[in-house]
Amino acid sequence: MMKRIFPFFLIFFLVATTAFGQFRKSRDKTAPPVTDSNLNYANPVEYYIGGIEVTGLNVLDKNAMISLTGLKIGDKIKVPGDQISGAIRKLWKHGLVGDVEIAVEKIEGQNVFLTLKLSERPRLTEYYFTGISKGRQSSLKEELTLIKGKIVNDAMIRNTEITVRKTFTKKGFLNTVVKVYQELDTLNRGGTKLRIDVDLKNKVRINEIHFEGNEAIADSKLKKPLKKTHEHARIRLHRVLLGIALDFKPRKLIEVLDSSYDVSWGEVKEFINKNVKLNFFSGSKFISSEFDEDKIKLIDYYNTKGYRDAEIISDTIVAFDEKNIDVNFKISEGNKYYFRNITWTGNFLHTNATLNKILDINKGDVYNNEMILKKTSFNPKGADISGLYMDDGYLFFHVDPVEIAVVGDSIDVEMRIFEGDQATIDEVIISGNERTSDHVIRRELSTMPGQKFRRSDIIRTQQQLSSMGYFNPQKIEQDIRPNPADGTVDIEWKVEEQSNDQIELSGGWGGYYGFVGTVGISFNNFSLKNIPHRDKWSPLPVGDGQKLSLRAQANGKSFQSYSMSFTEPWLGGRKPNSFTVSLNRSISRYPGPNFEFNSASPSLKQNGITIGLGRRLEWPDNYFSLTNSVSFLQYNYNNYFGSSSLPAIGTTYDLNINSTLARNSIDNPMYPTTGSTISLSMILTPPYSQWRDPSYYDDINQAYKWVEMHKWMFDAKFYLKLLGSSKPNGRSLVLESKAHFGFIGSYTPSLEPGPFGRFLMGGDGLAGGFNSFVLGQEIIGLRGYPNNQITPPYFQKQGSGGSQSGNSLIEGGIVYSKLGLELRYPVTTGQTATIYGLIFTEAGNNWNDYKKFNPFNLYKSAGFGARIFMPAFGLIGLNWAYGFDTLPGTNEKSGSQFHFTIGQQLR
């Protein structure tokens, strides 16, 4: 059987082998074997990728690089071919490698084996500067975007050079040369260092500014609108000196110089140019971007003077020397134009006469397009047409001033008005409030859904949100979204939370009292109802706008003061009626011999409680508020007063009502630039003497058992922006003017006010500040003089009916006056801190007799200082002042004084 089968298998094997050989032979004829040495770029051959290897990598992953090429094992490609060149382009595109080569390692039949030969780009491990100071290096690093570990390529080097050059160009170093070099990092494989060489050259300043073609307006006036392009200070000084010389007949002076000293006038001017240098003046550096802005302002200035066709024909920069350049303007002024006829079209709600009165431009006035835009869109100093309409709901209103005729030097303007429909507020959206509840913000809004849109409500709401203290005033924005189709508007208020909780931790030397420590904390966005909700604690319950304050001050047994207050600004939640309750307890003691304290030591203890209600008024306007409070104070004294008007040991009670009418329109509580704060306070005690027999007061133990008086206090502060930007974060030079007056009266002429509630003036103005521990008195600060030293003695009449039984010394005035001016300029008004410097002058006096009151007899001082406000610590101030007058009982002027303040000073 096997003998029969074996020949059959042998014949089948021979036939199959012959057939396979013929098939392979026929296939090899269509694609003959190709080696790496005889690749023909004119006739590419197709192969299958049999394998891919990668060489030259240090950090990058092999498989990732193969994936980026788009090639994979088994793909059919042409060698050479577009797929190979495309793979190279893909690798270059990602910027991870420098050099790329794809080589054919070997060819086996129809399979080609490729090798990717890569030169991996180095990665940044470090960079450093040469040629500049460490201070400049630290600020420059903030501008650069160099990140360690990133690929170093040509773009990174080029961008670094550009950024560094731009940074110093902005600072006036126009000729700065920057070169970036790569250095091998021997400690990091595949790493490189960048050495950034900076050669600042000389700072380029503007030597002189020249104008050509200006006939109507003088050079000196044209330089004023160039806010950031200034001549060097020595040029300005040179002109002053030259002007002085001209007043003294320079020809004779030249003759004297030439004949007597052998010096020419030209040499004198050269000496001034070289040696008179006021380098502390800044602002003469040349910055290209600011120069372009100033050119626009120059033309705008011409336009405001009626020269609507004015233009700068050319501006050239000419090198004066290595450090200075001259700026030359060639001006074409054109003709000066005037208003002729102003007509109105499209106005149905308001008459031409009403609109003309607001526009306030008459025939023959100098043509000023800027004034038209201001009077029609937004006039910060008065009424405007847009406000007239928008305050009545006409949000879609707009007016287009069109020049319809130019006749000679006169222009006719047609004011084309589109009044539109009144807009109703649909949705009011609040965003950005992460801590403060929506209802706390909404109750302060003047923009409510369903009411007519009013531009004044937008402005008022902006002020209200700023004054709350919970949000960064510079970041409060409104997004007004009109919907003309249905006559509605949506308003989104965007806020940025800021922490306004304050911690007071301070210590210092209190003179006679020794070391004094103070601890205080104020939570200005507290929430009672969120106490059970731990998720709303940060670190205490917040969000409802309530205020909780705790404060303690002590130095041991000499002085101790403790206080607590709570305020609910919207009692009941429907109206802005505030409720306040406060408690306080203070003790002041004088030590006996050897600084020992015992029960006989002179002391004054004060306990008090105050309950107040306040409400916001709508008349005369909604900047007014009225606050009423009731206070009950208890004074326990033990040999504390050196006065025979009071018993050595006793208790006095003070029950009073305080009513305060105030108006507050400032734009920012921490750094006001506009607005004012005005308040009038009236403090009344019951008129006990009106229903008591005069003989009652013959008893020294009963005469001042209860405080009896009426006190009147007036305080006013006005803020005026003198210079500054209108931008939210812009710096403004602000003048604060203030006036304060106080008066204490009695119901019965024979009963003069007692020792409590009187005025003490001088110094820091801190009741409880270092070396100023005073209880039961009204403290009035006056920098430049020692604490509380502008305080008159008072000899009080004793007995009823005016009979004098003796004199007693009672400290404190019953009428005072204080006036002041303060010029402020901010260093920063950011969210984290508000810092500003100030110079001031103030004057005041304090009298114990109404007949001696003289508003012109004041103690005067002047000085400078700084204020720092940080949300966590409140407002801190440091002042130096010089008192110009001599206090009673002294022989010298008060002179130099340093003052430290904490918190806002009311007076």
Side-chain angles (χ1 to χ4, degrees):
M1 185 67 179
M2 291 296 297
K3 291 180 179 180
R4 295 177 181 176
I5 294 175
F6 179 76
F8 174 79
F9 277 108
L10 181 62
I11 294 170
F12 176 81
F13 176 77
L14 291 175
V15 173
T17 303
T18 303
F20 179 76
Q22 293 295 325
F23 171 75
R24 181 174 180 182
K25 193 173 184 180
S26 64
R27 183 180 178 189
D28 289 345
K29 286 180 180 179
T30 61
V34 181
T35 64
D36 190 25
S37 60
N38 62 359
L39 292 176
N40 189 344
Y41 286 85
N43 299 303
V45 180
E46 289 187 339
Y47 291 97
Y48 294 90
I49 298 176
I52 302 175
E53 291 295 326
V54 182
T55 62
L57 296 182
N58 293 319
V59 178
L60 298 174
D61 181 69
K62 167 186 173 181
N63 294 327
M65 299 307 296
I66 295 174
S67 177
L68 291 177
T69 64
L71 302 175
K72 59 181 182 294
I73 296 175
D75 284 357
K76 189 176 183 181
I77 63 173
K78 289 184 178 182
V79 180
D82 293 338
Q83 289 166 294
I84 297 295
S85 57
I88 294 174
R89 286 194 297 271
K90 289 178 181 178
L91 289 173
W92 276 341
K93 175 183 176 182
H94 290 85
L96 299 174
V97 293
D99 296 330
V100 179
E101 180 184 351
I102 300 181
V104 176
E105 185 67 25
K106 62 180 179 178
I107 297 175
E108 294 181 356
Q110 287 295 286
N111 297 323
V112 62
F113 293 84
L114 304 177
T115 299
L116 305 182
K117 299 180 179 181
L118 307 179
S119 175
E120 186 175 338
R121 287 188 182 274
R123 293 180 178 271
L124 180 65
T125 58
E126 186 183 348
Y127 66 93
Y128 64 96
F129 300 91
T130 63
I132 56 176
S133 64
K134 291 184 178 180
R136 286 187 168 138
Q137 290 180 26
S138 60
S139 61
L140 189 57
K141 287 179 180 180
E142 297 177 1
E143 301 288 337
L144 295 175
T145 56
L146 296 177
I147 301 174
K148 293 181 180 180
K150 268 198 167 187
I151 299 293
V152 177
N153 51 31
D154 294 340
M156 174 185 284
I157 294 174
R158 184 172 59 256
N159 290 336
T160 300
E161 291 178 346
I162 292 172
T163 301
V164 174
R165 191 177 298 112
K166 280 185 176 180
T167 299
F168 287 108
T169 298
K170 290 179 181 179
K171 298 179 179 180
F173 296 95
L174 270 64
N175 300 320
T176 300
V177 177
V178 182
K179 289 290 184 181
V180 179
Y181 299 96
Q182 296 188 53
E183 297 178 347
L184 180 64
D185 189 347
T186 57
L187 299 179
N188 294 280
R189 183 182 177 186
T192 188
K193 301 178 182 179
L194 292 184
R195 187 183 83 235
I196 306 172
D197 292 347
V198 183
D199 185 0
L200 295 178
K201 305 295 184 182
N202 292 316
K203 180 175 285 189
V204 176
R205 297 187 180 276
I206 299 172
N207 182 58
E208 288 190 89
I209 300 175
H210 303 283
F211 295 94
E212 179 185 348
N214 57 312
E215 298 177 358
I217 303 178
D219 289 11
S220 58
K221 292 185 178 180
L222 292 180
K223 291 172 184 177
K224 290 181 180 179
L226 304 177
K227 300 299 184 183
K228 298 181 180 179
T229 307
H230 302 291
E231 293 177 328
H232 199 285
R234 67 179 168 81
I235 298 299
R236 297 193 289 272
L237 179 62
H238 175 269
R239 290 199 181 94
V240 173
L241 296 176
L242 189 59
I244 295 173
L246 289 174
D247 290 338
F248 287 98
K249 299 180 180 180
R251 290 186 181 181
K252 291 185 178 180
L253 181 62
I254 292 170
E255 292 174 0
V256 172
L257 289 172
D258 288 336
S259 61
S260 303
Y261 299 97
D262 195 24
V263 178
S264 68
W265 181 247
E267 289 174 325
V268 173
K269 291 194 293 183
E270 183 180 356
F271 175 82
I272 293 173
N273 280 329
K274 288 184 177 180
N275 296 282
V276 181
K277 297 181 180 180
L278 303 179
N279 291 326
F280 54 86
F281 281 92
S282 61
S284 62
K285 60 188 178 184
F286 180 85
I287 299 175
S288 180
S289 59
E290 294 179 350
F291 178 62
D292 292 338
E293 294 175 3
D294 278 348
K295 288 192 293 183
I296 297 174
K297 292 176 182 177
L298 178 61
I299 295 303
D300 290 342
Y301 176 76
Y302 259 109
N303 294 160
T304 62
K305 302 301 180 182
Y307 296 91
R308 63 189 284 274
D309 300 329
E311 61 178 331
I312 300 173
I313 297 176
S314 65
D315 58 90
T316 55
I317 309 298
V318 181
F320 180 77
D321 54 31
E322 293 181 355
K323 299 181 181 180
N324 300 284
I325 60 173
D326 287 343
V327 179
N328 300 323
F329 288 103
K330 190 173 183 180
I331 305 291
S332 173
E333 293 182 330
N335 297 325
K336 187 173 184 177
Y337 293 89
Y338 301 87
F339 286 106
R340 192 171 71 164
N341 299 318
I342 298 178
T343 57
W344 301 86
T345 62
N347 55 307
F348 301 101
L349 293 170
H350 302 285
T351 64
N352 291 354
T354 300
L355 299 178
N356 281 327
K357 185 176 180 180
I358 295 176
L359 189 64
D360 194 25
I361 296 176
N362 301 312
K363 186 175 182 179
D365 288 351
V366 173
Y367 184 82
N368 186 346
N369 189 58
E370 180 183 316
M371 181 60 67
I372 292 180
L373 295 177
K374 185 180 293 184
K375 290 293 185 72
T376 55
S377 57
F378 183 72
N379 180 14
K381 296 183 179 180
D384 57 78
I385 306 298
S386 179
L388 178 67
Y389 277 90
M390 287 193 177
D391 276 349
D392 196 23
Y394 290 90
L395 173 63
F396 311 112
F397 158 87
H398 66 265
V399 55
D400 297 320
V402 180
E403 298 178 2
I404 58 175
V406 179
V407 181
D409 63 353
S410 300
I411 299 176
D412 292 343
V413 179
E414 183 177 85
M415 313 295 286
R416 298 175 181 175
I417 289 179
F418 173 77
E419 294 179 336
D421 298 323
Q422 287 180 310
T424 303
I425 299 175
D426 185 14
E427 287 189 66
V428 177
I429 306 161
I430 299 170
S431 61
N433 53 316
E434 299 174 354
R435 288 162 44 99
T436 307
S437 302
D438 275 6
H439 75 273
V440 174
I441 302 175
R442 291 189 181 277
R443 67 194 187 190
E444 299 292 341
L445 302 181
S446 299
T447 54
M448 304 299 292
Q451 71 180 30
K452 283 193 306 183
F453 176 87
R454 288 167 51 90
R455 190 179 71 176
S456 59
D457 289 340
I458 296 289
I459 298 173
R460 177 61 174 147
T461 298
Q462 183 95 15
Q463 293 173 333
Q464 283 294 108
L465 294 179
S466 298
S467 64
M468 292 176 70
Y470 310 146
F471 314 111
N472 184 357
Q474 283 79 32
K475 296 297 181 67
I476 298 175
E477 300 175 0
Q478 70 274 357
D479 182 9
I480 300 174
R481 307 167 189 167
N483 305 310
D486 58 2
T488 63
V489 58
D490 296 334
I491 302 173
E492 180 179 2
W493 288 100
K494 300 177 181 180
V495 298
E496 181 180 291
E497 295 268 11
Q498 68 177 12
S499 175
N500 65 337
D501 296 334
Q502 298 174 6
I503 299 174
E504 180 184 352
L505 296 172
S506 61
W509 188 259
Y512 174 81
Y513 292 92
F515 181 81
V516 181
T518 302
V519 177
I521 187 168
S522 294
F523 300 100
N524 295 311
N525 197 2
F526 191 71
S527 175
L528 279 178
K529 73 175 185 180
N530 284 336
I531 292 177
H533 307 289
R534 295 287 300 180
D535 58 320
K536 295 185 178 181
W537 285 46
S538 179
L540 291 178
V542 297
D544 281 344
Q546 298 164 346
K547 182 176 181 179
L548 176 65
S549 298
L550 303 170
R551 191 173 188 269
Q553 187 177 44
N555 79 322
K557 294 184 177 182
S558 290
F559 182 84
Q560 298 174 19
S561 178
Y562 310 95
S563 63
M564 184 277 289
S565 68
F566 173 81
T567 300
E568 167 55 73
W570 283 66
L571 184 63
R574 295 184 178 181
K575 293 183 179 181
N577 297 329
S578 63
F579 171 76
T580 300
V581 58
S582 62
L583 302 171
N584 67 81
R585 175 176 173 81
S586 301
I587 304 172
S588 178
R589 298 186 181 93
Y590 292 117
N594 301 321
F595 288 90
E596 296 178 351
F597 293 95
N598 51 51
S599 58
S601 299
S603 64
L604 174 63
K605 300 178 182 179
Q606 174 186 297
N607 301 307
I609 181 172
T610 299
I611 299 175
L613 289 172
R615 61 190 181 98
R616 198 177 300 162
L617 305 179
E618 296 296 328
W619 185 90
D621 59 38
N622 55 11
Y623 291 109
F624 278 86
S625 63
L626 178 64
T627 303
N628 298 297
S629 63
V630 177
S631 298
F632 179 74
L633 302 172
Q634 180 191 54
Y635 301 101
N636 295 311
Y637 42 88
N638 181 3
N639 296 310
Y640 192 81
F641 298 104
S643 169
S644 59
S645 300
L646 294 172
I649 300 174
T651 301
T652 295
Y653 302 98
D654 183 0
L655 176 65
N656 65 69
I657 298 175
N658 185 334
S659 291
T660 301
L661 179 65
R663 186 181 189 274
N664 186 344
S665 61
I666 60 174
D667 59 342
N668 186 334
M670 289 302 104
Y671 189 77
T673 60
T674 60
S676 62
T677 60
I678 304 172
S679 67
L680 176 63
S681 298
M682 175 185 66
I683 302 174
L684 303 175
T685 67
Y688 304 108
S689 62
Q690 297 299 308
W691 59 69
R692 287 174 177 167
D693 187 272
S695 60
Y696 177 85
Y697 296 97
D698 291 336
D699 185 354
I700 192 174
N701 293 307
Q702 300 296 330
Y704 292 102
K705 188 76 172 181
W706 291 86
V707 174
E708 180 178 341
M709 67 175 180
H710 54 91
K711 180 190 289 189
W712 304 80
M713 306 286 285
F714 174 79
D715 302 285
K717 294 182 180 180
F718 300 89
Y719 298 92
L720 176 65
K721 183 190 295 186
L722 301 179
L723 297 171
S725 171
S726 59
K727 298 179 181 180
N729 291 318
R731 298 178 182 177
S732 300
L733 180 67
V734 177
L735 177 67
E736 178 198 63
S737 55
K738 55 187 177 182
H740 307 279
F741 300 96
F743 168 82
I744 298 175
S746 59
Y747 300 105
T748 302
S750 61
L751 184 67
E752 299 293 343
F756 297 106
R758 287 174 175 256
F759 304 122
L760 307 185
M761 177 179 283
D764 308 328
L766 295 177
F770 302 139
N771 203 20
S772 178
F773 303 104
V774 178
L775 298 180
Q777 307 284 18
E778 197 79 44
I779 307 300
I780 313 297
L782 188 66
R783 292 166 287 187
Y785 296 91
N787 287 341
N788 309 328
Q789 292 304 301
I790 307 178
T791 302
Y794 181 75
F795 292 94
Q796 183 172 2
K797 296 180 180 180
Q798 297 296 315
S800 61
S803 62
Q804 188 171 352
S805 59
N807 292 330
S808 63
L809 183 66
I810 294 183
E811 186 180 29
I814 57 175
V815 57
Y816 87 93
S817 173
K818 178 183 174 182
L819 304 172
L821 292 173
E822 192 167 283
L823 192 63
R824 303 173 172 180
Y825 190 77
V827 177
T828 177
T829 56
Q831 180 180 359
T832 56
T834 296
I835 305 173
Y836 60 89
L838 56 94
I839 57 176
F840 64 87
T841 179
E842 57 189 20
N845 204 346
N846 190 9
W847 298 269
N848 63 355
D849 191 338
Y850 312 123
K851 296 178 181 180
K852 294 181 180 180
F853 173 75
N854 183 353
F856 302 103
N857 179 22
L858 304 175
Y859 292 95
K860 299 171 287 296
S861 66
F864 59 88
R867 297 284 187 277
I868 302 174
F869 173 79
M870 292 182 289
F873 298 99
L875 186 65
I876 301 172
L878 181 64
N879 301 278
W880 174 88
Y882 187 88
F884 297 107
D885 297 302
T886 303
L887 293 173
T890 62
N891 299 320
E892 297 180 353
K893 295 180 179 180
S894 178
S896 176
Q897 303 279 339
F898 281 95
H899 303 283
F900 177 77
T901 60
I902 300 175
Q904 289 279 13
Q905 302 301 108
L906 177 61
R907 302 179 179 93

